[in-house]
Amino acid sequence: DVQLVESGGGLVKPGGSLRLSCAASGFIFSDYGMNWVRQAPGKGLKWVSYITTTGTDTYSADSVKGRFTISRDNAKNSLFLQMNSLRVEDTAVYYCARRGVRGSGWHFDYWGQGALVTVSS
Amino acid sequence: QSALTQPASVSGSPGQSITISCTGTSGDIGGSNYVSWYQQHPGKAPKLMIFDVSIRPSGVPNRFSGSKSGNTASLTISGLQAEDEADYFCTSYTSTSSLYVFGAGTKVTV
């Protein structure tokens, strides 16, 4: 079965840094593009970042460009999100989500359970 | 403010049909067939229900269906069941630098 397990969330002060990890299993990790999607408390989902299968290309939402960096280690079946210069408005549950491969591929076919990041002084 | 507009809530009785709308622009929904829908129960991860406007992944009941007309996509749940009570989010590929845009979500009450 496909499993995505996030870790690394926690409480951090504004301006601080945090690194999220997502451990993947049950599929050939290097065959899939991967995303981070976040959900602020009581709010809707927002796409954060995407990385291609080899890690050569990355894309990020304007709200996190220059502050967040997505990366992956295919040898360790792991996805990462380095978050710097954190702001209160970055508080959210961060989900690791696999890019679908059926059809257009412009969807998320599996999601992790999420990691809560709280930015507060 | 979310890029895609969904009703905040929709309700129905068991066995009835409901439809959730998702309205965007020509830069997202209207310009592609890359609309997907996700179901999220409280405290749980989202689950893919529909992709590419109307395709159901394996394991999703056929009472869930999707469609699109112009800049508006729709998710219809036929034969509503108690376990369908959840939040539903639409998303679309967008031609902007954001890649994806989401709706704010619709709470379905059975």
Side-chain angles (χ1 to χ4, degrees), chain B:
Chain B
Q1 185 177 357
S2 297
L4 304 179
T5 301
Q6 296 182 236
S9 62
V10 173
S11 62
S13 300
Q16 286 187 331
S17 293
I18 61 168
T19 296
I20 303 167
S21 62
C22 173
T23 302
T25 68
S26 58
D28 39 68
I29 292 178
S32 76
N33 287 321
Y34 306 149
V35 178
S36 52
W37 290 89
Y38 302 85
Q39 177 192 66
Q40 187 179 34
H41 288 106
K44 301 295 187 182
K47 175 186 175 184
L48 177 66
M49 305 302 284
I50 295 285
F51 67 94
D52 291 357
V53 175
S54 60
I55 301 176
R56 266 190 323 275
S58 58
V60 173
N62 60 10
R63 50 203 182 74
F64 289 87
S65 62
S67 62
K68 191 191 88 164
S69 178
N71 294 339
T72 298
S74 299
L75 175 71
T76 297
I77 310 175
S78 305
L80 205 57
Q81 298 185 6
E83 61 260 34
D84 299 334
E85 188 162 292
D87 291 326
Y88 292 82
F89 295 91
C90 59
T91 188
S92 172
Y93 166 80
T94 172
S95 56
T96 69
S97 60
S98 296
L99 285 193
Y100 298 94
V101 288
F102 280 91
T106 297
K107 181 174 181 58
V108 169
T109 302
V110 181

